[in-house]
Structures are given as C-alpha cells and as structure tokens.
Amino acid sequence: MAKMTMVQALNLALRQEMERDDGVIVLGEDVGKDGGVFRVTDGLYEKFGETRVVDTPLSENGIVGMSVGMAVYGLKPVCEIQFSGFAYQNFHQIENHASRLRWRSQGRYHVPMVLRAPYGGGVRALEHHSESREAFWAHIPGLKMVIPSGPRNARALLVSAIRDPDPVIFYEAKALYRAFREEVPEAEETIPLGESRIAREGDDLTLIAYGAMLRPALEAAERLEKEKGVSVEVIDLLTISPLDDTLFVTSVKKTGHAVIVHEAPMSFGPGAEITARLVEKAFYYLEVPIGRVTGYDVVIPLFSREKHYIPTVERIVHEAKKILET
C-alpha cells in the first residue's frame, strides 16, 4: 500500500468517488485550476473538467446554497469552505435548509451533500482560520459531524460521507494535512459514520479524543505508561454526531477513570456531552470525577499565544496524574 498524507488520501477519496458516480460534483473557491487552498482537490479539474469541478465566486453562502439545490435535484455535491471559520456565512443555508428538508418534506426530499472545511489551530494562522466550532454543527438535528484523525480513516470516512443520503459536515484538521503518512489501500475502503474506535488498549484510564488531538492523547498515554506504569486506553471518536458512546462507556466501566481531550472551548463543547453520557451510563463505575483538557473559553489567540491555548501532551499528562492520584 502507498503511504499518503491526509491531503493525498482525501484527494484519492474524491477522485475514486467521482470516477464511480457521475453525480459527485466538487465546488468551492479555488478548488478547480488551483487545486484548492491546501491542494486537496489537486488534479481533479484536469481529469473531470469544469462541469464537475467548479470554481465558484467568493461567496460561502452561494457555495452552500448551490450545493443544497444540487443535492435536492439528485446530485452529490462536495463543497469546500476554505477555512471553517468562514462557514458562519452559510449557517442559515445549513440550519434552515440542508438539515431540515427530509423532516420538512416528510421524507420526500433529502440532501446528500458534504461540506468539507479545514479546522483547528497549530499552523500559526489567524482566528477564523484556526477555530474549532464542531459543537455548532453537532447541535443541529439532521446533520452528521465527522472528524478524521489520520490519512487512512480520512479517506474511508470521506467516501462514506459522500455516499450518505443526508448532509455531512466534514472537518479536516489542517495541522494533520501533512503531519505524517499512513498506508492507504488503493482498493475501496469505508468506515460507517457514527462509529468510534479504540486507538490504544489499556486498563487504568480512558482518554477520549478526536481529530488533531488524537496524536497528543496517544503520546500522553505512552508517557504515562513509561513514567508511571499506567495502562491507558485511547478512544478515537471519528464522528462527533451522532456520538457513538458504546466504546467509551464500556472503556470507562473497565478503567474507572476518564479524561476528555478536545481543542474546542470547554463550555458547552463535545466534552460536556461526553461527560453527561458517562454520568448517565457509567456513574457507578467512576472512581473520581471526569477530567477535561480543552481549549479555553476565549477566541483562539494569535500565533504567539497559540501553544498556550491548544491542549498539549504536558496538560493531558498533568490532568491524568491528578485524576489517578485523587
């Protein structure tokens, strides 16, 4: 199998799905001749032409509005918003149209579209270029919210998202775009949306993470084992909504300790929902209160302070030790 970056793996998913299904259309700002701001769509314009890889005007609202119309018509648009922080311009289109049409039409119409957007910090970009607002979308009924953590699952999840009959918000951590390579098979591979996975098995503590935070969680787990002899299980959520709580509830029932790690602000974030489910379903197995290592309740700072905002291995290890020593 070829070793690919996440950018290459996403490109493979788009190319193969466009070859398989003539209804798959890619659109967005600079996705055509320029191959996308991060080159995820590189080469697609030359292969599939301007009617299937569409360079749009600088209008996020127009991109998503066109995508909703295409999807209702029967196509499968995959639109790109250059940075997730610009997606607020199309919130109305997503919330009032894409997410509701199946319900509003009593099942007569559905919206099989994917909205791809780079999210998160770590690349020294400004605020709207580095935010983590997955909770906005996860809160809306009718939407699926997916965040891969590496090249191989990014490719498989994007294929599943394109084939899903309903709208999917697909966040890509740009800090992972070229951070490392993984083996990605040329043959078709999918991962069901709404399922999480065990990234590392352990018995003493459960770390729950996703997206760019999976790697520091895994590194913290290794450090805890090396320094303290602690066996840490790491859960990779992959899909934020619908949230698969089966694995992390089962894991916490085994370990009795849980720490949640995400880059988004703490208040009302995914960690709050995960905490609520653990309290509902695993309360009597918890030996101490649940820990959270997250971003802070502020706008993500400029790059000179960025490292103080994003959860680090040191912060995760510190919280884990506090939990275990309580």
Side-chain angles (χ1 to χ4, degrees), residues 203-226:
D203 298 311
D204 301 324
L205 169 74
T206 302
L207 289 179
I208 304 165
Y210 57 88
M213 291 298 97
L214 181 70
R215 297 186 83 199
L218 288 168
E219 190 175 337
E222 291 180 10
R223 188 181 297 185
L224 286 162
E225 183 170 33
K226 184 177 180 181

Side-chain angles (χ1 to χ4, degrees), residues 39-255:
R39 304 296 181 262
V40 172
T41 56
D42 195 28
L44 300 181
Y45 179 87
E46 289 75 11
K47 181 173 180 60
F48 298 102
E50 62 183 7
T51 59
R52 295 189 64 197
V53 184
V54 183
D55 275 325
T56 67
L58 184 63
S59 170
E60 284 78 12
N61 202 28
I63 293 167
V64 175
M66 283 189 288
S67 297
V68 173
M70 287 180 180
V72 173
Y73 179 73
L75 300 172
K76 294 180 179 177
V78 183
C79 64
E80 177 180 293
I81 302 298
Q82 288 193 337
F83 295 91
S84 65
F86 301 148
Y88 313 137
Q89 302 293 335
N90 55 57
F91 194 84
H92 169 77
Q93 299 280 3
I94 295 293
E95 212 284 343
N96 277 345
H97 299 304
S99 70
R100 294 174 186 245
L101 270 181
R102 179 184 287 278
W103 175 83
R104 185 178 290 154
S105 67
Q106 298 182 355
R108 286 180 297 159
Y109 299 101
H110 61 117
V111 184
M113 64 172 281
V114 179
L115 186 155
R116 294 182 38 249
Y119 87 101
V123 297
R124 301 170 67 84
L126 300 178
E127 50 178 297
H128 278 100
H129 301 72
S130 294
E131 295 176 342
S132 298
R133 296 290 189 264
E134 53 271 27
F136 283 12
W137 310 113
H139 187 68
I140 298 175
L143 293 182
K144 295 183 178 70
M145 174 74 230
V146 177
I147 304 183
S149 60
R152 185 164 183 170
N153 61 44
R155 181 277 188 99
L157 286 167
L158 183 55
V159 171
S160 297
I162 292 170
R163 298 180 186 182
D164 196 277
D166 292 306
V168 177
I169 308 297
F170 197 90
Y171 265 19
E172 300 159 7
K174 54 187 169 291
L176 297 180
Y177 268 154
R178 293 179 173 82
F180 65 102
R181 292 174 180 269
E182 277 183 345
E183 290 187 339
V184 179
E186 180 73 15
E188 177 182 303
E189 193 170 58
T190 60
I191 294 176
L193 305 186
E195 291 187 8
S196 55
R197 72 182 181 106
I198 298 174
R200 185 184 196 278
E201 293 190 351
D203 298 311
D204 301 324
L205 169 74
T206 302
L207 289 179
I208 304 165
Y210 57 88
M213 291 298 97
L214 181 70
R215 297 186 83 199
L218 288 168
E219 190 175 337
E222 291 180 10
R223 188 181 297 185
L224 286 162
E225 183 170 33
K226 184 177 180 181
E227 295 178 2
K228 306 288 286 185
V230 177
S231 175
V232 181
E233 187 147 285
V234 180
I235 304 294
D236 182 4
L237 291 180
L238 296 177
T239 301
I240 308 304
S241 178
L243 184 63
D244 174 18
D245 58 24
T246 303
L247 279 187
F248 68 72
V249 167
T250 302
S251 177
V252 172
K253 284 182 177 179
K254 175 176 65 175
T255 65

